[in-house]
Amino acid sequence: DSGVTQTPKHLITATGQRVTLRCSPRSGDLSVYWYQQSLDQGLQFLIQYYNGEERAKGNILERFSAQQFPDLHSELNLSSLELGDSALYFCASSRGAGGSPNTGELFFGEGSRLTVL
Amino acid sequence: GQQVMQIPQYQHVQEGEDFTTYCNSSTTLSNIQWYKQRPGGHPVFLIQLVKSGEVKKQKRLTFQFGEAKKNSSLHITATQTTDVGTYFCAGTGNQFYFGTGTSLTVIP
């Protein structure tokens, strides 16, 4: 158990719909990262928040948005869903902001599997 | 932007054979981390290398960080079926840049 909680674990929806994925980071971790993993693909970095502020943005589509709340949990919103958005979405957390010589490890949640029909 | 490539993408080995995956970055990295993702699971941190030329061992796993801090390797000696999974390197420059991953299949 990594201490990172993601809900829902599975989600099936239709094209054009909107969904929200939720992530609670490990206790004490200030950074939350979102990754997309399509079938047999690598981990595509979407976005990172640190202590409520957007820290870095990766290949996140304009149809996607995220935020981190004062209690440090984060939500990833996916709208106007397309078939190609079907994937496993991972949230990860870390203690620090990342990108420094003392960068700690990432703790991953179990992921939210999104299926768009 | 920064890219981290891994080779090979897939590797099938007989149980007992050795396995190596290589990670190459287009830019110098502060650190390199390695993760393992079991089939159906989530990535789990294995190790972090910080110093140029650093070598670390974990039982049958040997991790190396290149002298120029732009490449790294993971070597598994005498693979076992429990080693099955995808191994990712992650370079930490300004952010975490995950490699493309190497999927390891171990044939009993």
Side-chain angles (χ1 to χ4, degrees), chain A residues 30-33 45-58 66 68 94 96-101 103, chain B residues 93-97:
Chain A
L30 299 179
S31 274
V32 170
Y33 305 76
F45 171 63
L46 297 178
I47 199 164
Q48 180 206 357
Y49 283 85
Y50 175 73
N51 204 21
E53 299 290 326
E54 183 182 303
R55 172 88 174 171
K57 186 177 280 191
Q68 186 179 30
S94 70
S100 75
T103 297
Chain B
N94 290 324
Q95 283 303 325
F96 285 91
Y97 300 96

Side-chain angles (χ1 to χ4, degrees), chain B:
Chain B
Q2 184 155 19
Q3 291 188 335
V4 180
M5 303 299 294
Q6 276 183 259
I7 55 170
Q9 187 175 0
Y10 301 96
Q11 184 79 58
H12 292 68
V13 299
Q14 288 289 142
E15 189 173 16
E17 291 183 340
D18 293 355
F19 159 77
T20 304
T21 174
Y22 300 90
C23 178
N24 294 288
S25 170
S26 56
T27 59
T28 302
L29 302 167
S30 295
N31 309 323
I32 192 108
Q33 297 181 350
W34 284 91
Y35 292 79
K36 176 183 179 181
Q37 183 177 19
R38 294 181 185 275
H42 58 277
V44 174
F45 174 80
L46 293 177
I47 206 162
Q48 175 170 282
L49 304 173
V50 177
K51 299 177 183 176
S52 169
E54 188 171 13
V55 178
K56 285 188 176 181
K57 292 190 176 184
Q58 286 181 350
K59 297 182 180 178
R60 295 178 294 104
L61 278 61
T62 302
F63 303 84
Q64 290 189 319
F65 200 6
E67 293 291 341
K69 302 185 78 173
K70 294 178 73 173
N71 58 73
S72 181
S73 65
L74 158 60
H75 179 82
I76 303 178
T77 303
T79 54
Q80 299 175 358
T81 54
T82 53
D83 296 325
V84 166
T86 300
Y87 292 85
F88 292 98
C89 63
T92 60
N94 290 324
Q95 283 303 325
F96 285 91
Y97 300 96
F98 275 84
T100 45
T102 296
S103 176
L104 173 64
T105 299
V106 179
I107 304 164

